[in-house]
Amino acid sequence: EVSAFNMVTLNEKNKKTTWFNKIAYLQLSYTIAKNITATTGSKTVYVRITRPDGDVLTKGSGNVFRFENRNIEYSVKKDVEYEGENLNDAIYWKVEEILQTGNYRADFFCDGNLIGSFSFNIKK
């Protein structure tokens, strides 16, 4: 399960920015909670970032993974080493499109399960 979610907008120099037109990256920080029953080892975390209009931010049509017997798009993925203890991590979306203002949603998946959903706002 994912907790302690936080989104920070960064500029090209990886510095925090509140200037809408300077956003180059979305930094999604999160914690995967301690779970003594989960298998340990290498895991792939998939994140789907959904825009205010409902479209998923993705770099290409081939960025899909299996969830509930179908292929769904993801925005970004990251391989992590999970040892059953709290794992603090961050994943980054490189902004290459014009961002919409409004409420976004970040859904986290691992091992075929939805492990967390969070909303964040981007405003001018």
Side-chain angles (χ1 to χ4, degrees):
E1 188 172 312
V2 170
S3 62
F5 174 80
N6 186 41
M7 189 282 299
V8 175
T9 52
L10 303 174
N11 65 18
E12 280 292 336
K13 296 179 181 179
N14 288 324
K15 303 280 186 198
K16 190 174 180 177
T17 184
T18 57
W19 292 85
F20 182 78
N21 61 344
K22 299 287 184 187
I23 298 172
Y25 299 94
L26 302 179
Q27 175 186 293
L28 308 174
S29 301
Y30 60 95
T31 299
I32 298 177
K34 177 179 178 176
N35 185 339
I36 58 171
T37 62
T39 57
T40 59
S42 182
K43 307 276 186 186
T44 301
V45 175
Y46 295 92
V47 181
R48 283 172 53 100
I49 303 170
T50 307
R51 300 184 323 194
D53 66 4
D55 286 346
V56 175
L57 292 176
T58 185
K59 298 295 185 198
S61 60
N63 288 357
V64 296
F65 69 101
R66 295 291 291 169
F67 179 68
E68 295 183 348
N69 297 321
R70 62 188 177 107
N71 288 333
I72 62 172
E73 292 180 305
Y74 66 87
S75 302
V76 64
K77 71 177 181 175
K78 184 175 185 180
D79 293 326
V80 298
E81 198 63 36
Y82 184 66
E83 298 299 328
E85 298 295 324
N86 281 351
L87 174 66
N88 299 317
D89 200 22
I91 199 162
Y92 297 85
W93 172 260
K94 179 161 179 44
V95 176
E96 297 173 335
E97 61 282 308
I98 296 172
L99 291 175
Q100 299 175 354
T101 58
N103 289 317
Y104 285 70
R105 179 180 169 114
D107 296 312
F108 289 76
F109 299 84
C110 187
D111 290 342
N113 297 301
L114 176 63
I115 59 171
S117 294
F118 304 91
S119 294
F120 61 92
N121 192 282
I122 294 180
K123 55 187 171 188
K124 284 192 177 183

